[in-house]
Amino acid sequence: MRLINIGCSFSYGNCISDYETFANKHISPGTLIAEHLGCEEVNLASPGLSLDGVLRRLHSFNFEKTDRFLIGLPPCMRLQYASRIPRNQDKIRHRMTATEYRKNAFNQGPKMPEDWFKTMKWDQDVKQSKTFDLVETNTYWSYYNILLIQLTMKHKLNWHDWKERYWLYNSVHGHMQQTTNIPEVQMLRDQIITDNYFRPDIGMVDMIENSTYAVAHDDSHPNHKLYYKWAEEFISWM
């Protein structure tokens, strides 16, 4: 049995053990849950991944019949596009004023196969007309993709004991706290199953109560200390 770990940077993990402190190994939420289950972690998460990117990976990798899945749901404002050059997931993040922890937090993790998809954001990279409702658009894509992820998992797990073989959680922000004024979007929301969806109203960012849980003063990603706290609560919920 393997645990397939899919999501964005919060799911991918990093090599920061405590606030501005390097660790001697890379840890992700999947690392800790796989240890609890006594199985191998297969880390297919990527920094910057989107909800539709999660869905794409669920359809484009070869999985085994006994696999279980830990799926971190990325923020809703992101969407994938096909690039002319593959992305460099393991890059050192170069910013003139960035701390060494921010620069090197994510370049010691597992390597991914060649990936020709990159991420853009509705609120920054997509040209919006005067009739574009950003909030409702984000809410729509959030619920629509989460529902598709759940339907995909049911299909791939052959409808047998599927609730016991995959779990969802919000990697950054809570999705299910979003509201909508559009009846059709509300219908999508109503079809999302929360039985195996851990804390659907909040994400890991909401658990960063103080700086000791962050990578560095210039990076709000969770460090290993928060991952252990999160995993303890997740395992209790399981």
Side-chain angles (χ1 to χ4, degrees), residues 2-237:
R2 307 182 303 176
L3 180 72
I4 310 300
N5 174 25
I6 299 181
C8 63
S9 57
F10 281 59
S11 301
Y12 180 70
N14 55 60
C15 58
I16 307 297
S17 61
D18 205 333
Y19 179 71
E20 299 192 344
T21 306
F22 283 111
N24 58 7
K25 62 178 179 179
H26 178 104
I27 287 180
S28 74
T31 305
L32 302 178
I33 303 306
E35 287 178 358
H36 171 72
L37 295 173
C39 65
E40 172 193 2
E41 176 199 13
V42 177
N43 194 334
L44 298 181
S46 288
L49 201 65
S50 61
L51 283 167
D52 62 307
V54 168
L55 190 61
R56 171 175 56 83
R57 290 202 168 157
L58 289 173
H59 282 281
S60 59
F61 281 83
N62 293 320
F63 300 114
E64 299 175 1
K65 291 183 178 180
T66 57
D67 285 341
R68 295 188 177 190
F69 296 80
L70 180 66
I71 302 174
L73 301 172
C76 58
M77 75 285 295
R78 301 174 181 172
L79 68 157
Q80 297 266 278
Y81 67 94
S83 175
R84 290 189 173 91
I85 56 174
R87 71 191 297 265
N88 179 10
Q89 172 169 293
D90 306 306
K91 67 181 179 182
I92 296 174
R93 294 185 291 174
H94 292 290
R95 284 191 179 181
M96 294 298 294
T97 59
T99 61
E100 60 179 323
Y101 311 100
R102 180 179 177 85
K103 288 180 180 179
N104 297 289
F106 301 97
N107 61 353
Q108 301 298 320
K111 309 304 179 185
M112 282 290 297
E114 191 173 65
D115 188 353
W116 288 87
F117 288 86
K118 297 183 180 180
T119 301
M120 63 174 62
K121 296 182 179 181
W122 288 109
D123 58 344
Q124 297 177 17
D125 305 315
V126 178
K127 185 177 181 181
Q128 302 171 26
S129 70
K130 293 181 180 180
T131 60
F132 189 105
D133 188 326
L134 180 61
V135 173
E136 287 286 10
T137 300
N138 281 335
T139 303
Y140 163 66
W141 280 110
S142 178
Y143 294 147
Y144 182 58
N145 279 302
I146 292 172
L147 184 58
L148 287 178
I149 288 169
Q150 290 192 330
L151 292 172
T152 295
M153 294 313 301
K154 288 182 183 181
H155 172 72
K156 285 193 171 292
L157 298 176
N158 297 318
W159 301 87
H160 297 301
D161 301 322
W162 55 270
K163 289 183 182 179
E164 307 298 324
R165 292 183 55 196
Y166 88 93
W167 303 274
L168 301 178
Y169 68 94
N170 299 313
S171 59
V172 183
H173 302 293
H175 283 284
M176 299 304 286
Q177 65 182 351
Q178 299 175 107
T179 59
T180 178
N181 294 316
I182 301 176
E184 194 171 1
V185 177
Q186 183 62 45
M187 289 179 66
L188 294 173
R189 187 187 193 282
D190 292 341
Q191 294 178 70
I192 294 173
I193 297 169
T194 58
D195 295 0
N196 55 340
Y197 189 161
F198 178 58
R199 303 182 78 174
D201 292 329
I202 70 170
M204 285 190 182
V205 160
D206 301 302
M207 297 179 66
I208 301 180
E209 301 166 353
N210 54 66
S211 62
T212 63
Y213 291 119
V215 163
H217 70 265
D218 60 344
D219 194 323
S220 60
H221 283 84
N223 58 36
H224 296 183
K225 185 176 180 180
L226 183 68
Y227 284 146
Y228 278 107
K229 178 183 178 182
W230 178 90
E232 182 179 3
E233 295 182 14
F234 184 89
I235 290 168
S236 177
W237 168 79

